[in-house]
mmCIF file of all heavy atoms in Angstrom:
data_model
loop_
_atom_site.group_PDB
_atom_site.id
_atom_site.type_symbol
_atom_site.label_atom_id
_atom_site.label_comp_id
_atom_site.label_asym_id
_atom_site.label_seq_id
_atom_site.Cartn_x
_atom_site.Cartn_y
_atom_site.Cartn_z
ATOM 1 N N GLU A 1 8.684 -5.433 -5.234
ATOM 2 C CA GLU A 1 8.399 -6.803 -4.795
ATOM 3 C C GLU A 1 7.893 -6.729 -3.364
ATOM 4 O O GLU A 1 8.527 -6.122 -2.504
ATOM 5 C CB GLU A 1 9.671 -7.640 -4.854
ATOM 6 C CG GLU A 1 9.488 -9.068 -4.403
ATOM 7 C CD GLU A 1 10.785 -9.856 -4.477
ATOM 8 O OE1 GLU A 1 11.644 -9.546 -5.313
ATOM 9 O OE2 GLU A 1 10.925 -10.796 -3.669
ATOM 10 N N THR A 2 6.727 -7.303 -3.136
ATOM 11 C CA THR A 2 6.155 -7.276 -1.792
ATOM 12 C C THR A 2 5.878 -8.689 -1.306
ATOM 13 O O THR A 2 5.504 -9.562 -2.079
ATOM 14 C CB THR A 2 4.835 -6.468 -1.746
ATOM 15 O OG1 THR A 2 3.917 -7.013 -2.689
ATOM 16 C CG2 THR A 2 5.073 -5.005 -2.041
ATOM 17 N N GLU A 3 6.064 -8.860 -0.015
ATOM 18 C CA GLU A 3 5.692 -10.102 0.657
ATOM 19 C C GLU A 3 4.773 -9.705 1.800
ATOM 20 O O GLU A 3 5.169 -8.973 2.703
ATOM 21 C CB GLU A 3 6.918 -10.830 1.184
ATOM 22 C CG GLU A 3 6.585 -12.154 1.828
ATOM 23 C CD GLU A 3 7.821 -12.902 2.317
ATOM 24 O OE1 GLU A 3 8.948 -12.479 2.037
ATOM 25 O OE2 GLU A 3 7.624 -13.922 3.003
ATOM 26 N N SER A 4 3.532 -10.163 1.736
ATOM 27 C CA SER A 4 2.518 -9.780 2.719
ATOM 28 C C SER A 4 2.501 -10.720 3.907
ATOM 29 O O SER A 4 2.896 -11.885 3.809
ATOM 30 C CB SER A 4 1.134 -9.800 2.079
ATOM 31 O OG SER A 4 1.098 -8.929 0.985
ATOM 32 N N ILE A 5 2.017 -10.184 5.018
ATOM 33 C CA ILE A 5 1.783 -10.991 6.219
ATOM 34 C C ILE A 5 0.299 -11.337 6.232
ATOM 35 O O ILE A 5 -0.548 -10.462 6.113
ATOM 36 C CB ILE A 5 2.150 -10.210 7.496
ATOM 37 C CG1 ILE A 5 3.618 -9.780 7.476
ATOM 38 C CG2 ILE A 5 1.835 -11.044 8.737
ATOM 39 C CD1 ILE A 5 3.992 -8.828 8.584
ATOM 40 N N LYS A 6 0.004 -12.601 6.369
ATOM 41 C CA LYS A 6 -1.397 -13.022 6.438
ATOM 42 C C LYS A 6 -1.918 -12.838 7.853
ATOM 43 O O LYS A 6 -1.163 -12.756 8.809
ATOM 44 C CB LYS A 6 -1.522 -14.486 6.019
ATOM 45 C CG LYS A 6 -1.156 -14.716 4.581
ATOM 46 C CD LYS A 6 -1.286 -16.173 4.225
ATOM 47 C CE LYS A 6 -0.864 -16.375 2.780
ATOM 48 N NZ LYS A 6 -0.920 -17.759 2.374
ATOM 49 N N ASP A 7 -3.214 -12.802 7.971
ATOM 50 C CA ASP A 7 -3.876 -12.751 9.273
ATOM 51 C C ASP A 7 -3.464 -11.542 10.118
ATOM 52 O O ASP A 7 -3.083 -11.679 11.279
ATOM 53 C CB ASP A 7 -3.627 -14.050 10.062
ATOM 54 C CG ASP A 7 -4.114 -15.279 9.318
ATOM 55 O OD1 ASP A 7 -5.159 -15.171 8.644
ATOM 56 O OD2 ASP A 7 -3.454 -16.322 9.402
ATOM 57 N N VAL A 8 -3.527 -10.372 9.510
ATOM 58 C CA VAL A 8 -3.304 -9.131 10.269
ATOM 59 C C VAL A 8 -4.658 -8.424 10.387
ATOM 60 O O VAL A 8 -5.560 -8.650 9.579
ATOM 61 C CB VAL A 8 -2.269 -8.204 9.600
ATOM 62 C CG1 VAL A 8 -0.904 -8.860 9.577
ATOM 63 C CG2 VAL A 8 -2.684 -7.805 8.211
ATOM 64 N N PRO A 9 -4.839 -7.584 11.371
ATOM 65 C CA PRO A 9 -6.110 -6.870 11.509
ATOM 66 C C PRO A 9 -6.424 -6.029 10.267
ATOM 67 O O PRO A 9 -5.523 -5.508 9.613
ATOM 68 C CB PRO A 9 -5.875 -5.963 12.719
ATOM 69 C CG PRO A 9 -4.744 -6.575 13.468
ATOM 70 C CD PRO A 9 -3.894 -7.258 12.442
ATOM 71 N N ASP A 10 -7.710 -5.915 9.963
ATOM 72 C CA ASP A 10 -8.143 -5.159 8.788
ATOM 73 C C ASP A 10 -7.632 -3.725 8.815
ATOM 74 O O ASP A 10 -7.216 -3.189 7.788
ATOM 75 C CB ASP A 10 -9.666 -5.148 8.681
ATOM 76 C CG ASP A 10 -10.231 -6.503 8.285
ATOM 77 O OD1 ASP A 10 -9.458 -7.361 7.802
ATOM 78 O OD2 ASP A 10 -11.455 -6.707 8.460
ATOM 79 N N ALA A 11 -7.642 -3.107 9.981
ATOM 80 C CA ALA A 11 -7.183 -1.715 10.097
ATOM 81 C C ALA A 11 -5.715 -1.595 9.683
ATOM 82 O O ALA A 11 -5.331 -0.610 9.033
ATOM 83 C CB ALA A 11 -7.376 -1.204 11.512
ATOM 84 N N LEU A 12 -4.895 -2.572 10.010
ATOM 85 C CA LEU A 12 -3.480 -2.550 9.644
ATOM 86 C C LEU A 12 -3.319 -2.724 8.139
ATOM 87 O O LEU A 12 -2.495 -2.047 7.513
ATOM 88 C CB LEU A 12 -2.712 -3.636 10.396
ATOM 89 C CG LEU A 12 -1.203 -3.661 10.179
ATOM 90 C CD1 LEU A 12 -0.567 -2.342 10.606
ATOM 91 C CD2 LEU A 12 -0.584 -4.824 10.946
ATOM 92 N N THR A 13 -4.109 -3.604 7.546
ATOM 93 C CA THR A 13 -4.067 -3.798 6.101
ATOM 94 C C THR A 13 -4.476 -2.523 5.373
ATOM 95 O O THR A 13 -3.815 -2.111 4.412
ATOM 96 C CB THR A 13 -4.995 -4.959 5.684
ATOM 97 O OG1 THR A 13 -4.566 -6.151 6.353
ATOM 98 C CG2 THR A 13 -4.981 -5.183 4.186
ATOM 99 N N ILE A 14 -5.536 -1.877 5.823
ATOM 100 C CA ILE A 14 -6.017 -0.639 5.199
ATOM 101 C C ILE A 14 -4.963 0.455 5.309
ATOM 102 O O ILE A 14 -4.680 1.165 4.335
ATOM 103 C CB ILE A 14 -7.361 -0.206 5.816
ATOM 104 C CG1 ILE A 14 -8.443 -1.203 5.410
ATOM 105 C CG2 ILE A 14 -7.736 1.212 5.409
ATOM 106 C CD1 ILE A 14 -9.738 -1.076 6.200
ATOM 107 N N ASP A 15 -4.369 0.598 6.483
ATOM 108 C CA ASP A 15 -3.329 1.605 6.689
ATOM 109 C C ASP A 15 -2.124 1.339 5.780
ATOM 110 O O ASP A 15 -1.612 2.255 5.139
ATOM 111 C CB ASP A 15 -2.883 1.629 8.152
ATOM 112 C CG ASP A 15 -1.733 2.582 8.378
ATOM 113 O OD1 ASP A 15 -1.930 3.802 8.216
ATOM 114 O OD2 ASP A 15 -0.623 2.103 8.720
ATOM 115 N N THR A 16 -1.689 0.090 5.715
ATOM 116 C CA THR A 16 -0.534 -0.269 4.885
ATOM 117 C C THR A 16 -0.828 0.006 3.412
ATOM 118 O O THR A 16 0.012 0.559 2.702
ATOM 119 C CB THR A 16 -0.155 -1.749 5.090
ATOM 120 O OG1 THR A 16 0.093 -1.980 6.482
ATOM 121 C CG2 THR A 16 1.081 -2.122 4.298
ATOM 122 N N ASN A 17 -2.028 -0.357 2.954
ATOM 123 C CA ASN A 17 -2.391 -0.112 1.555
ATOM 124 C C ASN A 17 -2.430 1.375 1.232
ATOM 125 O O ASN A 17 -1.979 1.798 0.166
ATOM 126 C CB ASN A 17 -3.740 -0.757 1.224
ATOM 127 C CG ASN A 17 -3.647 -2.258 1.104
ATOM 128 O OD1 ASN A 17 -2.574 -2.813 0.881
ATOM 129 N ND2 ASN A 17 -4.771 -2.931 1.256
ATOM 130 N N ALA A 18 -2.962 2.183 2.130
ATOM 131 C CA ALA A 18 -3.020 3.631 1.910
ATOM 132 C C ALA A 18 -1.608 4.206 1.815
ATOM 133 O O ALA A 18 -1.326 5.056 0.959
ATOM 134 C CB ALA A 18 -3.792 4.307 3.031
ATOM 135 N N ARG A 19 -0.724 3.759 2.673
ATOM 136 C CA ARG A 19 0.660 4.239 2.653
ATOM 137 C C ARG A 19 1.376 3.794 1.376
ATOM 138 O O ARG A 19 2.153 4.543 0.786
ATOM 139 C CB ARG A 19 1.414 3.761 3.892
ATOM 140 C CG ARG A 19 0.938 4.451 5.156
ATOM 141 C CD ARG A 19 1.544 3.807 6.396
ATOM 142 N NE ARG A 19 1.016 4.378 7.605
ATOM 143 C CZ ARG A 19 1.564 5.403 8.261
ATOM 144 N NH1 ARG A 19 2.660 5.959 7.807
ATOM 145 N NH2 ARG A 19 1.014 5.852 9.369
ATOM 146 N N PHE A 20 1.086 2.569 0.932
ATOM 147 C CA PHE A 20 1.685 2.048 -0.291
ATOM 148 C C PHE A 20 1.228 2.870 -1.498
ATOM 149 O O PHE A 20 2.031 3.231 -2.360
ATOM 150 C CB PHE A 20 1.325 0.566 -0.446
ATOM 151 C CG PHE A 20 1.966 -0.092 -1.634
ATOM 152 C CD1 PHE A 20 3.332 -0.285 -1.688
ATOM 153 C CD2 PHE A 20 1.192 -0.528 -2.694
ATOM 154 C CE1 PHE A 20 3.924 -0.905 -2.778
ATOM 155 C CE2 PHE A 20 1.764 -1.143 -3.787
ATOM 156 C CZ PHE A 20 3.139 -1.333 -3.834
ATOM 157 N N ARG A 21 -0.065 3.182 -1.563
ATOM 158 C CA ARG A 21 -0.591 4.014 -2.664
ATOM 159 C C ARG A 21 0.017 5.413 -2.633
ATOM 160 O O ARG A 21 0.347 5.979 -3.675
ATOM 161 C CB ARG A 21 -2.117 4.084 -2.614
ATOM 162 C CG ARG A 21 -2.791 2.778 -3.024
ATOM 163 C CD ARG A 21 -4.294 2.935 -3.193
ATOM 164 N NE ARG A 21 -4.948 3.529 -2.035
ATOM 165 C CZ ARG A 21 -5.398 2.865 -0.980
ATOM 166 N NH1 ARG A 21 -5.269 1.564 -0.932
ATOM 167 N NH2 ARG A 21 -5.992 3.494 0.017
ATOM 168 N N CYS A 22 0.182 5.970 -1.440
ATOM 169 C CA CYS A 22 0.836 7.272 -1.269
ATOM 170 C C CYS A 22 2.251 7.213 -1.845
ATOM 171 O O CYS A 22 2.665 8.090 -2.615
ATOM 172 C CB CYS A 22 0.861 7.643 0.211
ATOM 173 S SG CYS A 22 1.940 9.037 0.632
ATOM 174 N N PHE A 23 2.989 6.175 -1.485
ATOM 175 C CA PHE A 23 4.352 5.989 -1.969
ATOM 176 C C PHE A 23 4.394 5.927 -3.492
ATOM 177 O O PHE A 23 5.187 6.626 -4.138
ATOM 178 C CB PHE A 23 4.948 4.714 -1.358
ATOM 179 C CG PHE A 23 6.196 4.249 -2.036
ATOM 180 C CD1 PHE A 23 7.405 4.889 -1.805
ATOM 181 C CD2 PHE A 23 6.155 3.179 -2.915
ATOM 182 C CE1 PHE A 23 8.559 4.471 -2.446
ATOM 183 C CE2 PHE A 23 7.304 2.755 -3.560
ATOM 184 C CZ PHE A 23 8.513 3.403 -3.331
ATOM 185 N N LEU A 24 3.532 5.097 -4.075
ATOM 186 C CA LEU A 24 3.541 4.939 -5.533
ATOM 187 C C LEU A 24 3.227 6.252 -6.246
ATOM 188 O O LEU A 24 3.848 6.580 -7.256
ATOM 189 C CB LEU A 24 2.540 3.864 -5.959
ATOM 190 C CG LEU A 24 2.921 2.422 -5.624
ATOM 191 C CD1 LEU A 24 1.795 1.476 -6.013
ATOM 192 C CD2 LEU A 24 4.225 2.032 -6.292
ATOM 193 N N GLU A 25 2.283 7.008 -5.717
ATOM 194 C CA GLU A 25 1.929 8.274 -6.356
ATOM 195 C C GLU A 25 3.094 9.264 -6.296
ATOM 196 O O GLU A 25 3.388 9.940 -7.279
ATOM 197 C CB GLU A 25 0.690 8.878 -5.711
ATOM 198 C CG GLU A 25 0.208 10.120 -6.434
ATOM 199 C CD GLU A 25 -1.141 10.606 -5.962
ATOM 200 O OE1 GLU A 25 -1.884 9.849 -5.309
ATOM 201 O OE2 GLU A 25 -1.468 11.769 -6.266
ATOM 202 N N LYS A 26 3.767 9.344 -5.163
ATOM 203 C CA LYS A 26 4.887 10.276 -5.018
ATOM 204 C C LYS A 26 6.064 9.895 -5.914
ATOM 205 O O LYS A 26 6.759 10.756 -6.432
ATOM 206 C CB LYS A 26 5.345 10.356 -3.566
ATOM 207 C CG LYS A 26 4.383 11.121 -2.671
ATOM 208 C CD LYS A 26 4.922 11.238 -1.265
ATOM 209 C CE LYS A 26 3.995 11.965 -0.344
ATOM 210 N NZ LYS A 26 3.708 13.328 -0.734
ATOM 211 N N VAL A 27 6.284 8.603 -6.103
ATOM 212 C CA VAL A 27 7.439 8.159 -6.890
ATOM 213 C C VAL A 27 7.138 8.153 -8.389
ATOM 214 O O VAL A 27 7.956 8.625 -9.185
ATOM 215 C CB VAL A 27 7.920 6.760 -6.437
ATOM 216 C CG1 VAL A 27 9.030 6.249 -7.341
ATOM 217 C CG2 VAL A 27 8.410 6.818 -5.006
ATOM 218 N N THR A 28 5.978 7.636 -8.783
ATOM 219 C CA THR A 28 5.685 7.505 -10.216
ATOM 220 C C THR A 28 5.023 8.740 -10.811
ATOM 221 O O THR A 28 5.100 8.955 -12.013
ATOM 222 C CB THR A 28 4.757 6.304 -10.492
ATOM 223 O OG1 THR A 28 3.471 6.548 -9.906
ATOM 224 C CG2 THR A 28 5.361 5.011 -9.971
ATOM 225 N N GLY A 29 4.350 9.524 -9.976
ATOM 226 C CA GLY A 29 3.630 10.687 -10.479
ATOM 227 C C GLY A 29 2.216 10.373 -10.921
ATOM 228 O O GLY A 29 1.471 11.267 -11.315
ATOM 229 N N TYR A 30 1.829 9.110 -10.863
ATOM 230 C CA TYR A 30 0.483 8.695 -11.272
ATOM 231 C C TYR A 30 -0.379 8.382 -10.053
ATOM 232 O O TYR A 30 0.084 7.737 -9.112
ATOM 233 C CB TYR A 30 0.538 7.439 -12.152
ATOM 234 C CG TYR A 30 1.118 7.671 -13.520
ATOM 235 C CD1 TYR A 30 2.315 7.086 -13.894
ATOM 236 C CD2 TYR A 30 0.456 8.462 -14.455
ATOM 237 C CE1 TYR A 30 2.852 7.276 -15.156
ATOM 238 C CE2 TYR A 30 0.985 8.659 -15.718
ATOM 239 C CZ TYR A 30 2.182 8.069 -16.064
ATOM 240 O OH TYR A 30 2.698 8.276 -17.313
ATOM 241 N N THR A 31 -1.644 8.787 -10.108
ATOM 242 C CA THR A 31 -2.600 8.428 -9.062
ATOM 243 C C THR A 31 -2.977 6.955 -9.228
ATOM 244 O O THR A 31 -2.676 6.336 -10.256
ATOM 245 C CB THR A 31 -3.879 9.275 -9.151
ATOM 246 O OG1 THR A 31 -4.535 8.972 -10.394
ATOM 247 C CG2 THR A 31 -3.580 10.766 -9.072
ATOM 248 N N ALA A 32 -3.682 6.419 -8.245
ATOM 249 C CA ALA A 32 -4.128 5.020 -8.320
ATOM 250 C C ALA A 32 -5.006 4.808 -9.554
ATOM 251 O O ALA A 32 -4.874 3.796 -10.253
ATOM 252 C CB ALA A 32 -4.874 4.637 -7.052
ATOM 253 N N LYS A 33 -5.882 5.751 -9.831
ATOM 254 C CA LYS A 33 -6.769 5.648 -10.988
ATOM 255 C C LYS A 33 -5.958 5.645 -12.291
ATOM 256 O O LYS A 33 -6.216 4.845 -13.190
ATOM 257 C CB LYS A 33 -7.759 6.815 -10.979
ATOM 258 C CG LYS A 33 -8.808 6.739 -12.048
ATOM 259 C CD LYS A 33 -9.811 7.869 -11.887
ATOM 260 C CE LYS A 33 -10.902 7.776 -12.929
ATOM 261 N NZ LYS A 33 -11.909 8.823 -12.755
#
């Protein structure tokens, strides 16, 4: 469950998304694709 913060710099959103995808891959074993 995620709750996002609106109006954050694009660089912060990109960094957060990359870290989130990293987390999901390590935990589930599946890549984003």
Side-chain angles (χ1 to χ4, degrees):
E1 179 180 331
T2 56
E3 183 178 352
S4 302
I5 301 171
K6 295 180 182 178
D7 302 324
V8 296
D10 289 344
L12 184 60
T13 301
I14 291 167
D15 176 66
T16 304
N17 286 339
R19 290 171 185 268
F20 184 67
R21 288 190 307 273
C22 167
F23 166 77
L24 289 176
E25 186 170 343
K26 287 183 181 299
V27 175
T28 66
Y30 290 114
T31 64
K33 186 175 182 178

